[in-house]
Amino acid sequence: MEGKIELVSLGDLIDRDRLASFSKYLSYCVLILNICIILGFLGLAIFTQEKLILNNLVRIAFGLAIVGVFSFFFSSKINKAEPKSNLLLQSSFILAYFFILLELTGSTQSFLFPIIYLILIISAFYSLLISTVLLSITAGYFFYSELYFKSQTIQEFFVLNGASLLAIASVTAFSLYLGYMYRKNWMEKIKLEKYTKNVSADKSKDEAIFSNIGDGIYAVNTMRELILFNPQAEKITGWKAKDTMGLPCKKIMNLKNEQSVSICEKDCPALAVWNTGENVVRDDMCYPGKGKTDIKLEGTYAPIKDMDGKVTGAICVFRDITKKKEVERMRSEFVSTASHELRTPITAMSGYIELALNDKVCKVDSKASEYLNKAFQTASAMSELIKNLLVVTKIEDRKLEYTVTNFSLKDLSEEVIDVFNKKATENGVELKYDSSPHLKVKGTVVSRSLDVRADREQIREVLNNLVENAIKFTTEGSVTISIEYDEDFAKVCVADTGVGISETGQKHLFEKFYQVDNSATRAVGGTGLGLYITRSIIEYFGGSIWVESEEGKGSSFFFTIPRALG
Ligand code: ADP
């Protein structure tokens, strides 16, 4: 609202300022004209012999001097406040002088002339050029035809009527100029008003969005001083927007990470936004609540750019996620406690079943042995599920323990192959390592295997899961591990010649608890958590994972891992 009022008055101001300077300039012109006319009358008075005429001339000069002084004084007073009125005043003075001159030179007796002349200056004012020219000719003709016969020669005509002609010409020119200036100002004012309306409409819209949005918003300039603080931000932080403007952001927001270390210096998200030019999302921020416990915040930072694309600040949209974090903490605590509690009885159950199945410990008939075997398998599956649930909780809580080292993927793959070889042979599948592609970087053969950088044990889990799945879903043929390298990444492929995966299955494969609905899956069972964990681990170390598959022909799982530097 405020913006709108300011801008409209700015438009007015420009209009008024131009008019004021124009009418001031006009006042000086009128003053000079006035002085000239007074001097003219006084000059005539010196040369005249007749006392009556002399008296009259001096009286007129004196009268004009008083009116002139008064007009100039008055015009300078009203000019600033009422430039339009001053214009009117000065214009009427010019007209008045003109008619006085006309009368004094005894120029025209016809009442038609002033009418033609008035129409002339009006059409000049409106820049009706053709009619101005035509009317000038008519006025000129009138003037000339009335007065020429009174003068003996054309020179005498100009001597007698020079002042009048000059006055006619200058008033017409002045009217033209005045009209032109006035319309120019008017057009500019209309344009400004239109622009003002648009700007204020945009501003009101932005203000409405910022005020009514459910999230807190603050923005900083490149000096990291606050330039925006919306009502929701006031609510979350307890600060009033007006008290925060222009203050350093760290004084007001003073955000910390989950380890209670300030992020305002080295880890500042606004700096990260400027350095990378990309949005930064953080859900690990804490705001030190006044007297209360810390408020957990989640925020998205984006750069503010000017029209040339230059970064002029950063804006953050944030929300209070204290409750959400608390619920998450309770959930993971519950899963972890429940899993630990379940583990013990299941381990005991498996142990007793194993004892019951042991010939040396007790004797069971074949039917009972079959049932006990099924019970043992179910207990093992439950134990696997619990183990996976614990891993998932750790991943989601970012509590996965890892040690990043440089290691050879080739060596690790060979270790995994050794572990699964027996199982593969039992299933009638050949498990092998394809050594051909792993020594190439961008098609160039290199003499050694290249190291990658990640947690070796976590990547072992990934390979275990992919190889185990491949063996599970392949009844004949082979399972092959191969590795390729490019400048930055190693790309591992675990390819099988098994049942393959449908297109829908491929889309959802890496989701939590997803299992492809087919007879093969039903036969082998599982938890549907393996690939979800696999994807989480790979992404955790900066890689990506995907699948290419054709039903009935087999599947190839690919994942990338960053190569070790140097
Ligand atoms: P699970 O832990 O139950 O094996 P995963 O997340 O590892 O679950 O796999 C999810 C589903 O993806 C499986 O149920 C299976 O249907 C499908 N799948 C995984 N790997 C393969 C493969 N190599 N060939 C065919 N289907 C596969």
Side-chain angles (χ1 to χ4, degrees), residues 185-252:
N185 278 331
W186 187 248
M187 292 305 284
E188 269 176 23
K189 191 181 167 185
I190 287 173
K191 260 196 231 159
L192 258 165
E193 270 177 6
K194 220 173 166 183
Y195 171 74
T196 306
K197 265 187 203 154
N198 288 345
V199 169
S200 57
D202 281 355
K203 205 181 164 216
S204 316
K205 203 170 80 192
D206 290 349
E207 272 173 6
I209 294 170
F210 286 148
S211 307
N212 296 313
I213 208 160
D215 291 338
I217 300 176
Y218 73 87
V220 290
N221 57 18
T222 42
M223 312 281 286
R224 282 190 279 166
E225 292 161 346
L226 286 164
I227 52 169
L228 176 81
F229 211 73
N230 81 336
Q232 190 59 23
E234 290 182 341
K235 233 187 221 172
I236 296 173
T237 61
W239 282 91
K240 284 265 155 268
K242 63 176 172 21
D243 300 334
T244 66
M245 290 300 99
L247 288 183
C249 177
K250 68 173 176 187
K251 276 210 166 149
I252 306 298

Side-chain angles (χ1 to χ4, degrees), residues 401-466:
E401 285 144 24
Y402 61 89
T403 324
V404 177
T405 52
N406 295 352
F407 62 94
S408 154
L409 264 179
K410 176 179 178 272
D411 295 349
L412 184 66
S413 307
E414 282 168 352
E415 284 173 31
V416 172
I417 287 174
D418 282 346
V419 173
F420 284 95
N421 232 336
K422 195 169 157 243
K423 200 173 178 189
T425 321
E426 279 168 13
N427 275 26
V429 177
E430 187 197 357
L431 179 58
K432 58 182 183 193
Y433 178 79
D434 181 4
S435 64
S436 55
H438 87 277
L439 292 176
K440 281 181 186 170
V441 173
K442 281 197 165 179
T444 313
V445 178
V446 290
S447 57
R448 61 192 164 85
S449 158
L450 300 161
D451 279 359
V452 290
R453 189 160 175 78
D455 181 298
R456 199 173 193 272
E457 289 318 301
Q458 299 294 349
I459 302 301
R460 183 197 292 280
E461 279 300 313
V462 169
L463 277 170
N464 281 350
N465 189 34
L466 294 180

Side-chain angles (χ1 to χ4, degrees), residues 353 355-359 362-374:
I353 297 169
L355 276 177
L357 282 169
N358 192 335
D359 282 350
C362 61
K363 291 269 175 275
V364 286
D365 63 20
S366 64
K367 201 74 187 162
S369 163
E370 189 190 322
Y371 293 150
L372 281 171
N373 262 320
K374 281 202 175 134

